[in-house]
Amino acid sequence: MIPLPGAEASFHRPLQPQDMESTPKIFAASCTMPLAEKIAQEFGTTLGRVELSRFSDGEFQPCFEETVRGKHVYLVCSTTPPSDNLMELLLMIDCAKRASASKIIAVMPYFGWARQDRKDKPRVPIGAKMVAKMLETAGATRIVTMDLHADQIQGFFEIPVDHLYASSIFVEYIKQLQKDGSIQNLAIASPDMGGSKRAYSYAKYFGSDVVICYKQRKKANVIESMTLIGDVEGKDVILLDDMADTAGTLTKACNIMVDRGARSVRAMVTHPILSGNAYQRIEESKITELITTDSIALKNSSDKIKVLSCAPLMAEAIRMIEDNASISANYVF
């Protein structure tokens, strides 16, 4: 076959910069839209357009309203209950895969189902493992998440996981409280034995004392007893945890510490699930302040709740991924 004049040049011309366009595309699931807009703004771009069609029976279908062929696609979605949020993320991943995206990165500020990280009794699922496999099967090539409930969840994936830490957000806020005199005699506390590692990391950084709460549960979200290990009298206590669900543990621990003579008690939790009567418990408790992030949108407002945005942290992670740079170098500890 003889090519037409000039055809060979057009078929074999050198690649131009516009052919190698690598600007990432950031899309958001409906439950994480406000946070995703902040992340895109911090990154220096705008959110991609997604249309979510719904059928009368509750079924829904996402559709990208712009091309993603050959692009790095970042899908921002916290998989909070109900399971519709997880399903929406899975469908968006499949949508990007079938639209020929070169890489599909699930940005999950809050990784739901993470409390099911092991068999703690017979005949129960390991939900976190199942969710990990679902994300991989759908087509995700990388995961970005923050403050997993259990670090070993990273090992449930066969794809890279960038595990971010909210410590870089909270540490700066603690420094500000110390600077303005709100905190004078700092003590770091953990609401349970499982969070002691996190508490010791903060305590080592600030050179402060550590207090541990030992709790026993009757069942999920129900505390049978709690014992305080350590001295809090005259201290400005900061209680650290990865999430607050019903806020039962958090408020009970704060009340005990105030009764034991603590000067003030603040709680710092990364993920504000705050279900059931959590807001009422916080309002009625002796807690000075609850500091959290916007990994999950608040359902209600409260004068006792201070929200710090994790958007700069997420945007910086995306930037580091695009530049093939180290993410861990940005962490305080």
Side-chain angles (χ1 to χ4, degrees):
M1 182 176 178
I2 302 174
L4 295 173
E8 183 174 351
S10 64
F11 284 138
H12 299 285
R13 66 179 175 81
L15 288 174
Q16 302 299 312
Q18 59 266 28
D19 298 324
M20 303 174 67
E21 179 65 50
S22 59
T23 303
K25 297 275 190 176
I26 302 176
F27 296 91
S30 54
C31 67
T32 325
M33 190 67 70
L35 173 58
E37 288 175 345
K38 293 178 186 177
I39 293 172
Q41 184 177 9
E42 288 284 343
F43 187 76
T45 187
T46 56
L47 277 182
R49 300 186 305 277
V50 182
E51 180 181 341
L52 190 67
S53 303
R54 292 188 179 274
F55 300 90
S56 62
D57 65 349
E59 182 182 334
F60 52 86
Q61 180 189 61
C63 175
F64 296 139
E65 295 293 294
E66 54 192 85
T67 182
V68 297
R69 182 178 295 273
K71 301 289 186 179
H72 294 181
V73 174
Y74 292 82
L75 305 175
V76 184
C77 179
S78 284
T79 52
T80 50
S83 55
D84 279 7
N85 294 323
L86 173 59
M87 190 64 190
E88 185 176 349
L89 175 59
L90 293 170
L91 289 173
M92 289 177 71
I93 292 171
D94 187 69
C95 184
K97 179 178 68 176
R98 296 178 188 280
S100 301
S102 64
K103 291 184 180 179
I104 305 168
I105 300 94
V107 180
M108 306 170 69
Y110 170 69
F111 183 89
W113 316 91
R115 284 172 284 188
Q116 300 181 46
D117 62 302
R118 66 195 184 282
K119 287 188 67 174
D120 55 355
K121 58 183 179 181
R123 297 174 296 281
V124 296
I126 303 180
K129 171 70 172 179
M130 184 187 71
V131 170
K133 299 307 291 184
M134 290 169 68
L135 291 165
E136 287 183 29
T137 302
T141 59
R142 191 182 198 100
I143 303 293
V144 178
T145 188
M146 180 172 65
D147 279 357
L148 287 168
H149 185 66
D151 287 346
Q152 66 264 23
I153 291 174
Q154 297 172 76
F156 293 171
F157 290 90
E158 299 300 327
I159 56 177
V161 177
D162 293 305
H163 188 199
L164 311 182
Y165 296 94
S167 57
S168 57
I169 302 171
F170 292 147
V171 162
E172 292 305 313
Y173 189 75
I174 294 174
K175 288 179 179 178
Q176 184 60 44
L177 291 173
Q178 290 178 319
K179 185 177 180 180
D180 64 24
S182 299
I183 290 180
Q184 299 174 11
N185 190 8
L186 177 64
I188 301 294
S190 172
D192 51 38
M193 302 300 290
S196 59
K197 180 182 176 182
R198 182 185 296 109
Y200 281 121
S201 296
Y202 277 78
K204 182 179 179 181
Y205 182 84
F206 286 102
S208 63
D209 295 334
V210 177
V211 179
I212 305 294
C213 298
Y214 175 71
K215 66 182 180 183
Q216 292 180 313
R217 291 188 183 276
K218 285 184 177 180
K219 57 182 180 180
N221 297 131
V222 179
I223 301 170
E224 184 174 16
S225 64
M226 179 177 288
T227 303
L228 194 63
I229 304 172
D231 181 26
V232 296
E233 187 168 356
K235 303 285 182 67
D236 293 301
V237 182
I238 291 185
L239 184 73
L240 300 169
D241 209 352
D242 64 306
M243 66 175 71
D245 189 351
T246 63
T249 298
L250 183 148
T251 53
K252 188 177 183 67
C254 290
N255 290 342
I256 291 174
M257 290 177 188
V258 172
D259 292 341
R260 295 284 184 87
R263 180 174 174 268
S264 67
V265 181
R266 290 174 173 82
M268 287 186 165
V269 296
T270 306
H271 308 297
I273 301 172
L274 302 180
S275 62
N277 60 350
Y279 288 91
Q280 181 182 347
R281 282 177 171 164
I282 291 169
E283 289 296 327
E284 295 175 353
S285 72
K286 298 175 182 178
I287 188 173
T288 306
E289 186 179 34
L290 171 63
I291 302 102
T292 187
T293 77
D294 52 357
S295 65
I296 301 172
L298 295 183
K299 303 178 185 72
N300 299 304
S301 60
S302 170
D303 292 337
K304 286 190 173 185
I305 301 177
K306 170 75 173 180
V307 179
L308 306 176
S309 182
C310 63
L313 180 64
M314 294 289 165
E316 185 63 18
I318 294 174
R319 191 172 291 110
M320 294 298 99
I321 292 170
E322 290 298 304
D323 293 341
N324 292 315
S326 171
I327 293 177
S328 61
N330 295 323
Y331 295 140
V332 178
F333 49 80

